[in-house]
Amino acid sequence: MAKISYPDPNQIPEPLAGILAAIPGVAATDMLAHSPVLAEHFLRLAHAQFTALELSERARELVILSVAAKVRCEFEYQQHIPISAAAGVEPALRQAIWDRSIDPTSLPDAENVLIGFVTDVLNRPRVSARRFTAVQRFYPPRQIVEILQLIGFYWGFGRICTVLDIEVQTPTTLDAFEAVANLGA
């Protein structure tokens, strides 16, 4: 049970009420409605992350899964099982990320560097020159900025879920993802 009550849906102002009505209910998103302006911008940023990044969908999902594993946010991890599957992330890799048992030799160099970069960003305020040079070999500046933004976004979202004890929901489809991706359509 969440540590604070969910907002009363009848008290959520427009335009957020309309946005939430257009997407399947997700506990963490519902909780964000306590701050309508932030929730609206959160959903618009999520929309951009699913529709406008130069970073590949697979790389995006590897970043998100790595953050979820590092912050131990099962809600985030469960929500991204069908999304990452659609992006081509294999179940064994997804589980190894969650278990933090990845064999670096089993990954292509770009993905190994990406996951290591995410871990370093979450562990310290600066990454080593060696790590940064490695990430630059595979990802241009725009993608590096996108990676960093995804890390921060999902770290913050993960902490909302873990600190407030948001109930874990196991999605069986991509409905919520597709609804958020179509917000701007």
Side-chain angles (χ1 to χ4, degrees), residues 4-7 12-13 16 20 23 26-44 46 75 153 156-161 164 166:
I4 62 177
S5 63
Y6 289 89
I12 298 172
L16 181 59
L20 291 175
I23 62 175
V26 175
T29 305
D30 293 344
M31 186 63 80
L32 288 173
H34 274 298
S35 179
V37 171
L38 293 179
E40 182 182 342
H41 288 290
F42 173 92
L43 289 167
R44 294 201 188 288
F75 180 94
F153 183 89
F157 188 58
R159 282 300 171 247
I160 287 170
C161 295
L164 297 179
I166 303 296

Side-chain angles (χ1 to χ4, degrees), residues 84-107:
S84 63
V89 177
E90 303 82 2
L93 175 55
R94 186 173 37 252
Q95 190 64 49
I97 290 170
W98 181 253
D99 295 339
R100 295 181 268 182
S101 63
I102 297 174
D103 173 7
T105 63
S106 70
L107 294 174

Side-chain angles (χ1 to χ4, degrees), residues 1-182:
M1 174 178 263
K3 288 184 177 177
I4 62 177
S5 63
Y6 289 89
D8 179 347
N10 297 317
Q11 300 297 316
I12 298 172
E14 292 296 340
L16 181 59
I19 294 170
L20 291 175
I23 62 175
V26 175
T29 305
D30 293 344
M31 186 63 80
L32 288 173
H34 274 298
S35 179
V37 171
L38 293 179
E40 182 182 342
H41 288 290
F42 173 92
L43 289 167
R44 294 201 188 288
L45 184 54
H47 165 75
Q49 291 169 348
F50 293 122
T51 61
L53 297 186
E54 184 178 278
L55 193 65
S56 73
E57 291 177 4
R58 181 179 170 92
R60 178 197 67 214
E61 290 303 312
L62 292 175
V63 170
I64 294 167
L65 292 168
S66 297
V67 172
K70 183 68 177 172
V71 303
R72 303 316 294 161
C73 182
E74 188 177 354
F75 180 94
E76 215 165 55
Y77 175 79
Q78 291 294 329
Q79 290 295 306
H80 281 269
I81 288 174
I83 301 167
S84 63
V89 177
E90 303 82 2
L93 175 55
R94 186 173 37 252
Q95 190 64 49
I97 290 170
W98 181 253
D99 295 339
R100 295 181 268 182
S101 63
I102 297 174
D103 173 7
T105 63
S106 70
L107 294 174
D109 288 344
E111 292 180 359
N112 188 38
V113 165
L114 176 63
I115 292 169
F117 182 71
V118 171
T119 301
D120 277 5
V121 168
L122 292 168
N123 282 340
R124 55 190 59 86
R126 290 189 169 48
V127 298
S128 70
R130 182 184 63 69
R131 177 72 74 188
F132 196 77
T133 298
V135 84
Q136 285 181 302
R137 277 195 348 250
F138 298 102
Y139 302 94
R142 175 179 168 168
Q143 291 181 12
I144 293 170
V145 169
E146 291 172 352
I147 292 163
L148 290 166
Q149 190 281 324
L150 283 167
I151 293 168
F153 183 89
Y154 282 93
W155 181 91
F157 188 58
R159 282 300 171 247
I160 287 170
C161 295
T162 59
V163 171
L164 297 179
D165 285 333
I166 303 296
E167 298 84 11
V168 174
Q169 293 172 277
T170 306
T172 56
T173 69
L174 293 174
D175 289 347
F177 165 73
E178 290 168 348
V180 169
N182 291 321

